[in-house]
Amino acid sequence: MKKQILAICGSTRQRSTNHNLIQAITEFTKQDFEIRFFEELAALPHFNPDEDNADVTPSVTGFRQQLQQADGILICTPEYAHGVPGALKNAIDWTVSSCEFSGKPTILITASTDGKYAHQALLETLRVIEAGNIDELNLLIPFAQTKINRAGKIVDDTTLREIQQLMQRLKELL
């Protein structure tokens, strides 16, 4: 039976490098995983701890349910101005009190021009919320636009091999 993976793209652009990367991963792992995109990242309201209760909005409830139902999580994100994209950080903040990431195998791929600042920040955030196996399930892909084309194909052999190894580790953990 295929494992269910929820993919979260840190970029809200439809044809971003990270969106294309998720498509490429979806294609070459289709024998093992069913990868579903979380499409409503930008639709989540701004996180407000005062509103994080039983009456939280349907979009937040739906996001949390999708995370709960997934066997694993795949996050592919760019770095914006040496930081984490706001919509992605906002989504993660909505899970702090409800613990959907806790113990759940989570892959973090930061694919950007540089990416090291956002990657480190996200690793720390994911560690704090106890994302499963995050220290062994992460990859930084600098100069990503030279390695992933607009057609959703990974054109750099080293990058492809590293991602295949990452997905294999996930498969072994699930």
Side-chain angles (χ1 to χ4, degrees):
M1 184 170 164
K2 292 182 187 181
K3 296 297 183 176
Q4 303 294 310
I5 307 299
L6 182 64
I8 303 168
C9 183
S11 174
T12 55
R13 289 179 42 233
Q14 283 291 39
R15 299 299 300 164
S16 70
T17 300
N18 281 274
H19 190 272
N20 292 341
L21 177 57
I22 293 171
Q23 286 185 316
I25 292 170
T26 299
E27 184 59 34
F28 76 72
T29 63
K30 62 185 173 187
Q31 297 298 326
D32 298 312
F33 301 113
E34 183 178 322
I35 298 177
R36 293 177 293 117
F37 272 90
F38 176 68
E39 301 285 355
E40 291 89 36
L41 191 68
L44 293 173
H46 293 287
F47 176 68
N48 180 342
D50 291 336
E51 295 176 8
D52 190 8
N53 54 44
D55 295 329
V56 73
T57 68
S59 60
V60 172
T61 301
F63 176 55
R64 288 175 173 172
Q65 287 173 344
Q66 288 181 53
L67 289 166
Q68 290 167 0
Q69 293 166 357
D71 297 306
I73 301 163
L74 169 63
I75 299 171
C76 293
T77 186
E79 174 181 81
Y80 290 159
H82 285 188
V84 177
L88 176 59
K89 181 64 168 81
N90 182 61
I92 292 171
D93 285 346
W94 276 112
T95 71
V96 171
S97 68
S98 52
C99 302
E100 283 81 15
F101 279 89
S102 185
K104 185 145 323 209
T106 302
I107 290 179
L108 170 62
I109 300 176
T110 305
S112 201
T113 301
D114 182 7
K116 66 185 173 194
Y117 298 103
H119 193 71
Q120 288 305 313
L122 275 168
L123 279 174
E124 187 58 31
T125 298
L126 292 167
R127 285 180 190 122
V128 166
I129 62 172
E130 302 174 339
N133 308 93
I134 193 61
D135 288 318
E136 62 185 288
L137 292 174
N138 72 84
L139 178 64
L140 174 61
I141 305 172
F143 307 107
Q145 287 186 344
T146 66
K147 299 171 182 175
I148 302 138
N149 70 19
R150 293 179 190 267
K153 182 171 171 51
I154 301 167
V155 295
D156 178 72
D157 291 337
T158 301
T159 300
L160 177 59
R161 192 170 41 259
E162 289 172 339
I163 294 171
Q164 288 171 329
Q165 290 168 352
L166 195 63
M167 297 308 291
Q168 180 61 37
R169 281 196 298 271
L170 177 63
K171 180 180 174 185
E172 291 165 3
L173 289 167
L174 296 175

